[in-house]
Amino acid sequence: QVQLVETGGGLVQTGGSLRLSCTVTGTDDNLPMAWFRQAPGKEREFAARINRLGTMTSYADSVSGRFTISRDISKNIIYLQIDSLSPEDTAVYYCAASPRYYSDSSYLSDKNYIYWGQGTQVTVSS
């Protein structure tokens, strides 16, 4: 059974940084991965994605320049480095796996991911 577990969330002041981790177990397949986030009272939204080899990435406009997605293929861990945090980044952050690295806008929809982690809370105070 494939399981995704996120860690690294916490309480951070405005301007601070966090590095989230998503550990994949139950498979040696380095699936295309993504990070989504869901703020209180809002829909879950796409944040970043990465392909199997870690050579291609995409970011939402709202996080571009501040978020960096990467992966350790040998350990099957996916990271999300978040810099210059603001209160608007407060959300539950989820990692998710897709069956392929989409060539169209399918990657934006959480309906197109087959595995999900339980989420990790990021809270940014001012």
Side-chain angles (χ1 to χ4, degrees):
Q1 182 179 2
V2 176
Q3 289 186 309
L4 281 56
V5 178
E6 304 97 331
T7 60
L11 176 62
V12 184
Q13 292 183 334
T14 296
S17 297
L18 281 174
R19 189 177 74 159
L20 310 182
S21 299
C22 174
T23 300
V24 181
T25 59
T27 180
D28 289 328
D29 190 1
N30 54 322
L31 294 166
M33 300 291 295
W35 287 93
F36 284 75
R37 64 183 185 176
Q38 187 168 28
K42 294 184 172 63
E43 297 292 317
R44 187 154 56 188
E45 66 172 356
F46 166 81
R49 67 166 179 164
I50 191 167
N51 71 341
R52 289 181 170 89
L53 296 178
T55 57
M56 298 175 63
T57 60
S58 299
Y59 298 94
D61 289 342
S62 59
V63 308
S64 181
R66 299 188 300 115
F67 286 25
T68 303
I69 188 171
S70 62
R71 72 191 306 162
D72 185 331
I73 295 174
S74 65
K75 296 181 179 180
N76 214 352
I77 299 176
I78 299 83
Y79 302 100
L80 185 67
Q81 177 70 36
I82 311 176
D83 297 320
S84 301
L85 280 159
S86 71
E88 287 68 40
D89 296 315
T90 294
V92 177
Y93 284 71
Y94 300 90
C95 65
S98 61
R100 64 185 182 92
Y101 193 74
Y102 298 108
S103 59
D104 57 17
S105 60
S106 297
Y107 70 90
L108 295 171
S109 175
D110 58 9
K111 298 179 181 178
N112 296 318
Y113 294 79
I114 55 177
Y115 301 114
W116 290 87
Q118 83 292 339
T120 186
Q121 176 72 50
V122 172
T123 303
V124 185
S125 66
S126 58

